[in-house]
Structure formats: C-alpha cells, structure tokens
C-alpha cells in the first residue's frame, strides 16, 4: 500500500472476504492507506489500483471481471495487485498482468524445485504459497518484500508448420513454472 501511495492513484479499490486472513489483510490495507493519505473505495475508476486480499474463488471472480472491464474502458490504470496467497496459475492468468508482493523469488532454485515437485506429484497442478511455506518448514526465515509482476508471455510464437531451429524446445509447459504459459519477474527493488 505504501508502494501504491507513492505512485499516487486517486484511490485503491479494495476487495476482501470474510475469512480471518481476508479481514486482517483488509484492515491492514485500510490502516496503511489512511496513514499514507490514500483513499480506499469500493468502486473501480480509470485512475485507481485494484487490491485483492480475498480467497481464491472471490479473487478469481474479481480479477476476471477487472480484465473484462479493462478491455471495455480505462480501469485500474495503476494496476492489479493480488495478495501473495493468490499467486496461482488460474488466477494470475485471468489477466494479462498482475502484481504481487512476495518474500521469495519464484525463479530461484528452491522455489523452482518446489514447483517441479508439485508438478511431478500432482500432475501439473500450480504451486501455492501455502504449500511452499509448508514444504520449506518453520525454520525458514521470511525474506524481504519485492513486488513481482506475473504476466502471460509467449516470446517466440511460431506456427506448428514453421521450421524450428535444431534443438528448439517446442513445448511451453516447462517444469517449475509458477505461472503456466507465463512468467513472474521482480518489478521493484526490495521494499522497506
């Protein structure tokens, strides 16, 4: 929220749910927004940022509706921000790009190793933040927060009949992906 306040949207559109985690996160968003002078309102606008701190079901619905609205008119031009626990393939792939504050880099060896283990064990299911935390164990210290962007990316689209370079991998379903058919990269330095 402090990061968003520095970008100066007119307001944050906050979506939460009544789960204990959603209630606590919404309270923190509202308190931080009030402290930084950033308005929180329920309706979308062209110069707002969407912040989603709900569970998966409501999060998917909200992000899908935001994507539909963005295709029709300028909406949430300051971005779509998801709670870390919403880093899940179907949710983040519902839009062209969404941002998440994370305490780990999904591209690092440990995170990729977890994603590979999930894929091997559960037949290609998307890794989850909660599962990753459990996999790491309680002794793992929390890292610094950075904002990451998850985006649907296809860098070299080619038709199946086009000749491919020798050794070129044709399958985009690479093991260890946190975002299927996409990528996730840091877009900020460590936030303090």
């Amino acid at each position: 929220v402090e990061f968003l306040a520095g970008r100066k949207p007119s307001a944050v559109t906050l979506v939460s749910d009544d789960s204990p985690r959603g209630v606590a996160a919404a309270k923190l968003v509202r308190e931080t927004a009030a402290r930084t002078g950033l308005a929180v309102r329920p309706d979308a606008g062209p110069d707002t940022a969407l912040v989603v701190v709900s569970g998966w079901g409501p999060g998917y619905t909200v992000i899908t509706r935001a994507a539909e609205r963005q295709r029709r008119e300028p909406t949430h031009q300051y971005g779509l921000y998801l709670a870390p626990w919403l880093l899940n393939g179907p949710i983040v792939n519902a839009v062209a790009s969404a941002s998440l504050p994370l305490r780990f880099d999904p591209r690092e060896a440990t995170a990729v190793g977890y994603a590979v283990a999930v894929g091997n064990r559960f037949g290609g299911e998307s890794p989850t933040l909660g599962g990753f935390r459990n996999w790491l164990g309680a002794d793992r210290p929390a890292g610094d927060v950075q904002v990451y962007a998850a985006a649907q990316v296809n860098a070299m689209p080619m038709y199946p009949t086009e000749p491919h370079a020798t050794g070129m991998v044709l399958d985009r379903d690479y093991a260890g992906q946190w975002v299927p058919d996409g990528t996730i990269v840091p877009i900020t330095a460590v936030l303090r």
Side-chain angles (χ1 to χ4, degrees), residues 16-34:
S16 63
D17 60 15
D18 60 358
S19 68
R21 176 175 61 186
V23 170
K27 180 181 179 200
L28 180 61
V29 168
R30 285 187 186 94
E31 289 173 352
T32 306

Side-chain angles (χ1 to χ4, degrees), residues 104 110-112 114-115 128-137 140 178:
F104 74 101
T110 304
V112 171
Y114 166 71
T128 65
L129 181 61
F132 184 48
R133 286 181 179 154
N134 287 337
W135 191 71
L136 290 174
R140 180 80 172 200
W178 279 73

